[in-house]
Amino acid sequence: MGNPAVHWQVQENGYYRLSGVLERDTVPAFWQQRREWMPQDAKVTIELSDLTRVDSAGMVMLLHLHRELTQAGRHLVLQGVPQQLLTLLRLSHVDTVLAACME
């Protein structure tokens, strides 16, 4: 079995898919490479239903992504948010930060 990985796929204008494993082993390298994948669209929709695992590091990365996009005047929409991530957000008392982003 290979190392866990996170995958970023451009679907179409402003629509992206995040799949794989978004956890402490994958987030640091993925986040460091964000200049390569960071969306430039005014509205950024990210489909998360293909994530097989999300831990607190993945949650924090999504919160940072939200902050960076918001500071740049862009709007983030998260679709297909896994139950595991919803639970982490709620337990960490930060679910309201991303609540307006979720569809």
Side-chain angles (χ1 to χ4, degrees):
M1 185 186 267
N3 291 333
V6 61
H7 304 283
W8 178 264
Q9 300 166 314
V10 178
Q11 301 291 303
E12 55 190 47
N13 296 338
Y15 189 84
Y16 303 86
R17 181 173 296 276
L18 199 54
S19 60
V21 179
L22 195 59
E23 62 181 10
R24 67 181 181 96
D25 292 334
T26 61
V27 165
F30 183 66
W31 187 249
Q32 283 185 326
Q33 297 170 351
R34 70 185 175 279
R35 284 193 177 92
E36 297 173 22
W37 57 260
M38 183 66 82
Q40 300 301 313
D41 310 273
K43 180 180 178 186
V44 176
T45 301
I46 304 174
E47 175 62 47
L48 301 175
S49 62
D50 289 341
L51 288 173
T52 56
R53 177 167 156 64
V54 182
D55 69 4
S56 58
M59 174 189 70
V60 170
M61 191 209 83
L62 290 171
L63 289 166
H64 282 292
L65 178 62
H66 174 258
R67 185 184 68 205
E68 283 200 15
L69 290 173
T70 300
Q71 288 175 345
R74 298 185 186 107
H75 177 68
L76 175 65
V77 176
L78 299 176
Q79 294 181 335
V81 180
Q83 187 60 47
Q84 187 177 32
L85 178 56
L86 292 172
T87 300
L88 281 171
L89 290 165
R90 190 173 57 252
L91 291 173
S92 301
H93 303 288
V94 293
D95 48 328
T96 56
V97 175
L98 294 179
C101 300
M102 293 188 219
E103 288 186 351

